[in-house]
Amino acid sequence: MAGIAEFLGQLKGGGARPNRFEVVVNFPAFAGGSEVIRQTAFLVQSTQMPGSTVGVIEQTFRGRPLKLAGDRTFEEWTCTFVNDTDFAIHDAFERWHNGYNSYVSNTGFLSPIEYMSSATVYQLDNQDNRIKEKTMKLAWPSNIGPIELAQDSNNVIETFEVTFQYSDIDNGNGT
């Protein structure tokens, strides 16, 4: 039977911590510059390392279902951002939205490559070294959530969620 010492010996770096992360959203040039990109790393409050799902193809053979691996799909990826008083990140996301579907004309860029970009979430160790990364490629924000306002919300800072769609992922390890 394994003891505490064996367990601790297997727990590399003391274990990965969910509060040690960094997010970099690469806004298209029309939506935000390098300062807004830099701010995302500081003003993201929460997110997750995105997962993926491989579908199942069921093929019946002689009365028994044979389950085969299907196509990979990616779930939506969501980040919660802290809002500051200049609304820089929020406004950049609105400009991004407006680029592919204008608030006024309901039109936008013709080519998806003009509005798609990438976003990376990094897992950090206790010395702020990047130890794991996932880059969502061909990404774009499909939803900019509301900013909740309330008279009884003292001692809090506003936040808002952004949900991204993406078509590919780079796991940072060649896969």
Side-chain angles (χ1 to χ4, degrees), residues 39-148:
Q39 281 182 301
T40 61
F42 292 100
L43 296 181
V44 65
Q45 178 175 296
S46 64
T47 191
Q48 67 280 339
M49 280 284 190
S52 66
T53 302
V54 175
V56 177
I57 301 169
E58 277 200 29
Q59 179 63 51
T60 305
F61 179 73
R62 295 186 181 164
R64 291 198 172 186
L66 174 62
K67 295 185 180 188
L68 305 168
D71 293 326
R72 182 179 306 279
T73 59
F74 303 104
E75 301 295 321
E76 298 175 334
W77 179 62
T78 301
C79 292
T80 302
F81 293 93
V82 173
N83 196 27
D84 56 6
T85 57
D86 69 1
F87 284 73
I89 294 176
H90 191 270
D91 290 350
F93 280 116
E94 285 188 330
R95 284 190 300 275
W96 197 348
H97 252 193
N98 203 43
Y100 51 84
N101 189 290
S102 171
Y103 286 101
V104 176
S105 65
N106 198 31
T107 61
F109 293 117
L110 296 177
S111 172
I113 203 69
E114 293 179 272
Y115 66 80
M116 291 180 174
S117 191
S118 65
T120 304
V121 58
Y122 298 96
Q123 179 75 56
L124 306 175
D125 67 12
N126 289 334
Q127 283 76 45
D128 284 342
N129 298 309
R130 294 173 173 173
I131 57 173
K132 178 71 177 164
E133 69 183 68
K134 290 198 176 200
T135 300
M136 283 61 65
K137 300 187 319 188
L138 304 174
W140 53 279
S142 61
N143 183 50
I144 303 169
I147 296 174
E148 300 295 333

